[in-house]
Amino acid sequence: MKGIVLTKTGNLSYLQYTEEREIPQPGDHEIRVEVMAAGLNPVDYKLAEGWGGVQWKKPPVLGLDVAGIVDAVGSQVTDFSQGERVFYHGSLAECNGGFAQYACTTAHTVSRLPKEVDFVSAAALPCSGFTAYQAVVEKLKLDQSKTILIHGGAGGVGGYGIQLAKLLGARVFTTCSPQNDQYVRNLGADEIIHYRTEDIQKRIEELTDGRGVDYVVNTVDSQTATKDIDLLAFSGELVAVVEHPDFTRLRFYEKGLSIHEVALGGAHLNGDFRAQKKLAEIGDRYARLLQESKIKLPAIRTIQMQEVPDGLRKLKDRHVAGKIVAVMR
Ligand SMILES: NC(=O)c1ccc[n+]([C@@H]2O[C@H](COP(=O)([O-])OP(=O)(O)OC[C@H]3O[C@@H](n4cnc5c(N)ncnc54)[C@H](OP(=O)(O)O)[C@@H]3O)[C@@H](O)[C@H]2O)c1
């Protein structure tokens, strides 16, 4: 079959197009999917560069966000059958990812795709959408009385995060570059901070009458996560999506803060069946939100399979608004 194989880790030049990858066989508890679309994510370029020290059994096909049609099921799979439309977030330790014509994954982590939702839209969802869901819906307790700052509103995680926080009634602030103002406003952001030119702390003080925000979701890095500590109100909560803040900066009894971490792919890696099932449940929840038009898809740029390495290079610059999705058929 055709696919993009990572011949060795180190950098994106080791991602190579091939027409000779063998079609993967599903394990007993797995399904094989004919891939129709695969979403690109920062984790793909990070893995290609060696992040996490993941050891694969053979040169992997990356691509964690997959939408397609069930093509074969393992001997122990009873929940899915051939021909069903599905989408999922795969395991980063798995060798048979979505940047190929066929991919395999564990059946209990897969969601059905409603007929109203196309494959490209579904492939734009899992990694960033599920992460935003875990950060905003599961870690925090948002309601109309709460304020939240979601960094990087134009990115995948930030874009879904803004919408979920609005659905829960919160007042939402986000950071972005000026060219993405209208984009994040359309997603529902109430207040926009231009992180390149404005003093974020000063703006948060103005917007909250000096109190600080109840919650911050950090999608940027450790340095900004550390600065986020000063943006939080008393008893505030920070969700670290990329890196931890500098914990030495925290003073016990100063503000009663809580720090959360999201490790989406950790569900696959740590062997916790319940956490893995949760991935499918979040996918089901998004499918309903899309059916009910309660959530908008981010801006999506489509590319062809051979363009995946270039797409990942573009993502690595960290200024893609929305998502890039590879159309595989
Ligand atoms: N922990 C987990 O389980 C998990 C899961 C998923 C993703 N992640 C991580 O979360 C991060 C975000 O992922 P993503 O999919 O949203 O893609 P991304 O490529 O990191 O997001 C791109 C967006 O980031 C914005 N941005 C860049 N630098 C910024 C800064 N200093 N302040 C505010 N915004 C900034 C850009 O907005 P402008 O162009 O407007 O500047 C751009 O639209 C990635 O590092 C990813 O690896 C972690």
Short mmCIF file of all heavy atoms in Angstrom, two decimals, residues 41-43 46 127-128 131 151-152 154-158 175-177 179-180 195-196 219-220 241-242 262-265 315 318-321 323, ligand 1:
data_model
loop_
_atom_site.label_atom_id
_atom_site.label_comp_id
_atom_site.label_asym_id
_atom_site.label_seq_id
_atom_site.Cartn_x
_atom_site.Cartn_y
_atom_site.Cartn_z
N ASN A 41 -0.81 16.76 13.30
CA ASN A 41 -0.72 17.36 14.62
C ASN A 41 0.73 17.60 15.00
O ASN A 41 1.63 16.90 14.51
CB ASN A 41 -1.34 16.41 15.67
CG ASN A 41 -2.85 16.36 15.54
OD1 ASN A 41 -3.54 17.33 15.82
ND2 ASN A 41 -3.37 15.24 15.06
N PRO A 42 0.96 18.56 15.92
CA PRO A 42 2.34 18.79 16.37
C PRO A 42 3.01 17.50 16.87
O PRO A 42 4.21 17.31 16.69
CB PRO A 42 2.18 19.81 17.49
CG PRO A 42 0.94 20.58 17.13
CD PRO A 42 0.03 19.56 16.49
N VAL A 43 2.24 16.61 17.48
CA VAL A 43 2.85 15.39 18.02
C VAL A 43 3.52 14.58 16.90
O VAL A 43 4.52 13.88 17.15
CB VAL A 43 1.81 14.54 18.80
CG1 VAL A 43 0.76 13.94 17.89
CG2 VAL A 43 2.49 13.44 19.60
N LYS A 46 6.88 16.06 16.38
CA LYS A 46 7.68 15.82 17.60
C LYS A 46 8.16 14.37 17.64
O LYS A 46 9.31 14.09 17.97
CB LYS A 46 6.85 16.15 18.85
CG LYS A 46 6.54 17.65 19.00
CD LYS A 46 5.74 17.95 20.26
CE LYS A 46 5.29 19.40 20.32
NZ LYS A 46 4.54 19.75 21.52
N CYS A 127 -7.02 14.64 18.10
CA CYS A 127 -5.93 15.08 18.98
C CYS A 127 -6.24 16.43 19.63
O CYS A 127 -6.25 16.54 20.86
CB CYS A 127 -4.62 15.13 18.21
SG CYS A 127 -3.22 15.48 19.28
N SER A 128 -6.54 17.42 18.81
CA SER A 128 -6.78 18.73 19.41
C SER A 128 -8.13 18.81 20.12
O SER A 128 -8.23 19.38 21.20
CB SER A 128 -6.63 19.85 18.37
OG SER A 128 -7.15 19.48 17.15
N THR A 131 -8.09 16.75 23.41
CA THR A 131 -7.24 17.44 24.40
C THR A 131 -7.99 18.62 25.01
O THR A 131 -8.00 18.81 26.23
CB THR A 131 -5.94 17.92 23.72
OG1 THR A 131 -5.27 16.78 23.22
CG2 THR A 131 -5.04 18.66 24.68
N HIS A 151 -4.83 29.98 25.85
CA HIS A 151 -3.77 30.47 24.96
C HIS A 151 -3.91 29.85 23.57
O HIS A 151 -4.39 28.71 23.43
CB HIS A 151 -2.39 30.08 25.51
CG HIS A 151 -1.93 30.93 26.65
ND1 HIS A 151 -1.44 32.19 26.49
CD2 HIS A 151 -1.88 30.67 27.99
CE1 HIS A 151 -1.10 32.70 27.67
NE2 HIS A 151 -1.35 31.80 28.60
N GLY A 152 -3.44 30.57 22.57
CA GLY A 152 -3.37 30.01 21.21
C GLY A 152 -4.72 29.67 20.63
O GLY A 152 -4.92 28.57 20.10
N ALA A 154 -6.10 30.38 17.97
CA ALA A 154 -6.14 30.05 16.54
C ALA A 154 -5.64 28.63 16.27
O ALA A 154 -5.83 28.10 15.17
CB ALA A 154 -5.29 31.05 15.75
N GLY A 155 -5.02 28.01 17.23
CA GLY A 155 -4.51 26.64 17.05
C GLY A 155 -5.62 25.61 17.20
O GLY A 155 -6.77 25.95 17.52
N GLY A 156 -5.26 24.34 16.98
CA GLY A 156 -6.25 23.28 17.06
C GLY A 156 -6.85 23.15 18.46
O GLY A 156 -8.07 23.23 18.64
N VAL A 157 -6.00 23.00 19.46
CA VAL A 157 -6.48 22.82 20.84
C VAL A 157 -7.24 24.05 21.29
O VAL A 157 -8.36 23.97 21.82
CB VAL A 157 -5.30 22.52 21.80
CG1 VAL A 157 -5.80 22.40 23.23
CG2 VAL A 157 -4.55 21.26 21.38
N GLY A 158 -6.65 25.24 21.06
CA GLY A 158 -7.29 26.48 21.49
C GLY A 158 -8.64 26.69 20.83
O GLY A 158 -9.59 27.14 21.47
N THR A 175 -5.39 34.29 23.45
CA THR A 175 -4.24 34.99 22.88
C THR A 175 -4.08 34.55 21.43
O THR A 175 -4.31 33.39 21.10
CB THR A 175 -2.94 34.67 23.64
OG1 THR A 175 -2.76 33.25 23.69
CG2 THR A 175 -2.97 35.20 25.05
N CYS A 176 -3.69 35.50 20.57
CA CYS A 176 -3.41 35.16 19.17
C CYS A 176 -2.64 36.30 18.52
O CYS A 176 -2.43 37.34 19.14
CB CYS A 176 -4.69 34.86 18.40
SG CYS A 176 -5.71 36.31 18.08
N SER A 177 -2.24 36.09 17.28
CA SER A 177 -1.63 37.16 16.47
C SER A 177 -2.76 37.95 15.83
O SER A 177 -3.85 37.41 15.60
CB SER A 177 -0.72 36.56 15.40
OG SER A 177 0.32 35.84 15.99
N GLN A 179 -3.64 38.83 12.89
CA GLN A 179 -4.34 38.34 11.68
C GLN A 179 -5.40 37.29 12.02
O GLN A 179 -6.25 36.98 11.18
CB GLN A 179 -3.34 37.78 10.65
CG GLN A 179 -2.72 36.45 10.97
CD GLN A 179 -1.44 36.55 11.80
OE1 GLN A 179 -1.18 37.58 12.40
NE2 GLN A 179 -0.68 35.46 11.86
N ASN A 180 -5.37 36.77 13.23
CA ASN A 180 -6.36 35.73 13.60
C ASN A 180 -7.48 36.25 14.50
O ASN A 180 -8.30 35.47 14.98
CB ASN A 180 -5.64 34.56 14.30
CG ASN A 180 -4.79 33.79 13.31
OD1 ASN A 180 -5.19 33.62 12.16
ND2 ASN A 180 -3.61 33.35 13.74
N TYR A 195 -0.66 38.51 21.96
CA TYR A 195 0.45 38.14 22.85
C TYR A 195 1.80 38.69 22.39
O TYR A 195 2.72 38.82 23.17
CB TYR A 195 0.53 36.60 23.00
CG TYR A 195 0.92 35.87 21.74
CD1 TYR A 195 2.24 35.62 21.41
CD2 TYR A 195 -0.06 35.40 20.88
CE1 TYR A 195 2.58 34.95 20.25
CE2 TYR A 195 0.26 34.73 19.72
CZ TYR A 195 1.58 34.51 19.41
OH TYR A 195 1.91 33.84 18.26
N ARG A 196 1.91 39.02 21.09
CA ARG A 196 3.21 39.51 20.61
C ARG A 196 3.46 40.96 21.00
O ARG A 196 4.60 41.37 21.17
CB ARG A 196 3.28 39.44 19.08
CG ARG A 196 3.29 38.04 18.50
CD ARG A 196 2.95 38.16 17.03
NE ARG A 196 2.72 36.90 16.39
CZ ARG A 196 3.62 36.26 15.65
NH1 ARG A 196 4.83 36.73 15.53
NH2 ARG A 196 3.32 35.12 15.08
N THR A 219 -1.30 26.27 26.05
CA THR A 219 -1.00 25.43 24.88
C THR A 219 0.33 25.83 24.26
O THR A 219 0.60 25.47 23.12
CB THR A 219 -2.09 25.62 23.81
OG1 THR A 219 -2.09 27.01 23.44
CG2 THR A 219 -3.47 25.23 24.29
N VAL A 220 1.16 26.57 25.03
CA VAL A 220 2.36 27.15 24.40
C VAL A 220 3.65 26.48 24.88
O VAL A 220 4.28 25.73 24.13
CB VAL A 220 2.41 28.68 24.63
CG1 VAL A 220 3.61 29.28 23.91
CG2 VAL A 220 1.13 29.35 24.16
N VAL A 241 -0.87 21.90 28.90
CA VAL A 241 -1.09 20.99 27.78
C VAL A 241 0.23 20.63 27.11
O VAL A 241 0.38 19.57 26.52
CB VAL A 241 -2.07 21.63 26.77
CG1 VAL A 241 -2.13 20.85 25.47
CG2 VAL A 241 -3.47 21.72 27.37
N VAL A 242 1.21 21.53 27.20
CA VAL A 242 2.48 21.29 26.49
C VAL A 242 3.61 20.94 27.46
O VAL A 242 4.28 19.92 27.31
CB VAL A 242 2.87 22.52 25.65
CG1 VAL A 242 4.16 22.26 24.89
CG2 VAL A 242 1.75 22.88 24.67
N VAL A 262 -2.60 17.56 31.00
CA VAL A 262 -3.31 16.69 30.05
C VAL A 262 -2.28 15.85 29.33
O VAL A 262 -1.28 16.37 28.84
CB VAL A 262 -4.13 17.51 29.03
CG1 VAL A 262 -4.70 16.59 27.95
CG2 VAL A 262 -5.27 18.24 29.71
N ALA A 263 -2.50 14.54 29.30
CA ALA A 263 -1.62 13.62 28.57
C ALA A 263 -2.52 12.72 27.74
O ALA A 263 -2.78 11.57 28.10
CB ALA A 263 -0.77 12.82 29.54
N LEU A 264 -3.00 13.25 26.63
CA LEU A 264 -4.01 12.54 25.85
C LEU A 264 -3.53 11.15 25.42
O LEU A 264 -4.19 10.14 25.67
CB LEU A 264 -4.39 13.36 24.61
CG LEU A 264 -5.52 12.76 23.79
CD1 LEU A 264 -6.86 12.94 24.48
CD2 LEU A 264 -5.58 13.38 22.39
N GLY A 265 -2.36 11.11 24.78
CA GLY A 265 -1.84 9.83 24.28
C GLY A 265 -1.44 8.90 25.41
O GLY A 265 -1.28 7.69 25.21
N LEU A 315 3.41 23.03 10.14
CA LEU A 315 2.89 23.02 11.53
C LEU A 315 3.98 23.39 12.53
O LEU A 315 3.70 24.05 13.53
CB LEU A 315 2.41 21.61 11.89
CG LEU A 315 0.94 21.25 11.81
CD1 LEU A 315 0.70 19.90 12.48
CD2 LEU A 315 0.05 22.31 12.47
N ARG A 318 4.44 26.76 13.87
CA ARG A 318 3.48 27.10 14.92
C ARG A 318 2.61 28.32 14.61
O ARG A 318 2.25 29.06 15.52
CB ARG A 318 4.19 27.28 16.26
CG ARG A 318 4.82 26.00 16.75
CD ARG A 318 5.06 26.00 18.23
NE ARG A 318 3.82 25.85 18.98
CZ ARG A 318 3.77 25.83 20.30
NH1 ARG A 318 4.87 25.94 21.00
NH2 ARG A 318 2.62 25.70 20.92
N HIS A 319 2.28 28.52 13.35
CA HIS A 319 1.34 29.60 13.06
C HIS A 319 0.25 29.18 12.09
O HIS A 319 -0.33 30.01 11.41
CB HIS A 319 2.08 30.87 12.61
CG HIS A 319 2.83 31.47 13.74
ND1 HIS A 319 2.18 32.04 14.83
CD2 HIS A 319 4.14 31.50 14.02
CE1 HIS A 319 3.08 32.41 15.72
NE2 HIS A 319 4.28 32.10 15.26
N VAL A 320 -0.05 27.88 12.06
CA VAL A 320 -1.18 27.42 11.27
C VAL A 320 -2.45 27.76 12.05
O VAL A 320 -2.53 27.47 13.25
CB VAL A 320 -1.11 25.89 11.04
CG1 VAL A 320 -2.40 25.36 10.46
CG2 VAL A 320 0.08 25.55 10.14
N ALA A 321 -3.40 28.41 11.39
CA ALA A 321 -4.70 28.66 12.04
C ALA A 321 -5.59 27.47 11.70
O ALA A 321 -5.79 27.16 10.54
CB ALA A 321 -5.31 29.96 11.53
N LYS A 323 -6.54 23.57 11.27
CA LYS A 323 -5.95 22.25 11.09
C LYS A 323 -5.51 22.00 9.65
O LYS A 323 -6.05 22.57 8.71
CB LYS A 323 -7.01 21.18 11.43
CG LYS A 323 -7.55 21.22 12.84
CD LYS A 323 -6.58 20.74 13.87
CE LYS A 323 -6.15 19.30 13.67
NZ LYS A 323 -5.22 18.86 14.74
N1 LIG B 1 -0.59 17.09 26.36
C1 LIG B 1 -1.28 16.53 25.37
O1 LIG B 1 -1.85 15.47 25.50
C2 LIG B 1 -1.39 17.28 24.06
C3 LIG B 1 -2.37 16.91 23.15
C4 LIG B 1 -2.52 17.66 21.97
C5 LIG B 1 -1.64 18.72 21.71
N2 LIG B 1 -0.65 18.98 22.60
C6 LIG B 1 0.28 20.10 22.34
O2 LIG B 1 -0.45 21.31 22.43
C7 LIG B 1 0.17 22.30 21.63
C8 LIG B 1 -0.89 22.99 20.81
O3 LIG B 1 -1.28 22.15 19.77
P1 LIG B 1 -2.18 22.67 18.56
O4 LIG B 1 -2.72 21.45 17.90
O5 LIG B 1 -3.12 23.69 19.06
O6 LIG B 1 -1.19 23.31 17.51
P2 LIG B 1 -0.09 24.45 17.51
O7 LIG B 1 0.60 24.26 16.22
O8 LIG B 1 0.76 24.45 18.71
O9 LIG B 1 -0.94 25.76 17.49
C9 LIG B 1 -0.75 26.70 16.53
C10 LIG B 1 -1.21 28.02 17.08
O10 LIG B 1 -0.40 28.39 18.18
C11 LIG B 1 -0.44 29.79 18.28
N3 LIG B 1 0.75 30.27 18.97
C12 LIG B 1 2.05 30.08 18.66
N4 LIG B 1 2.84 30.65 19.58
C13 LIG B 1 2.01 31.23 20.51
C14 LIG B 1 2.20 31.98 21.70
N5 LIG B 1 3.43 32.25 22.16
N6 LIG B 1 1.10 32.38 22.39
C15 LIG B 1 -0.14 32.11 21.94
N7 LIG B 1 -0.40 31.42 20.83
C16 LIG B 1 0.66 30.98 20.12
C17 LIG B 1 -0.50 30.27 16.83
O11 LIG B 1 -1.37 31.38 16.81
P3 LIG B 1 -1.02 32.74 16.06
O12 LIG B 1 -0.65 32.36 14.63
O13 LIG B 1 -2.31 33.50 16.17
O14 LIG B 1 0.13 33.38 16.74
C18 LIG B 1 -1.10 29.09 16.06
O15 LIG B 1 -2.37 29.35 15.54
C19 LIG B 1 1.25 21.56 20.82
O16 LIG B 1 2.52 21.78 21.41
C20 LIG B 1 0.87 20.11 20.95
O17 LIG B 1 1.94 19.21 20.82
C21 LIG B 1 -0.52 18.30 23.77
#
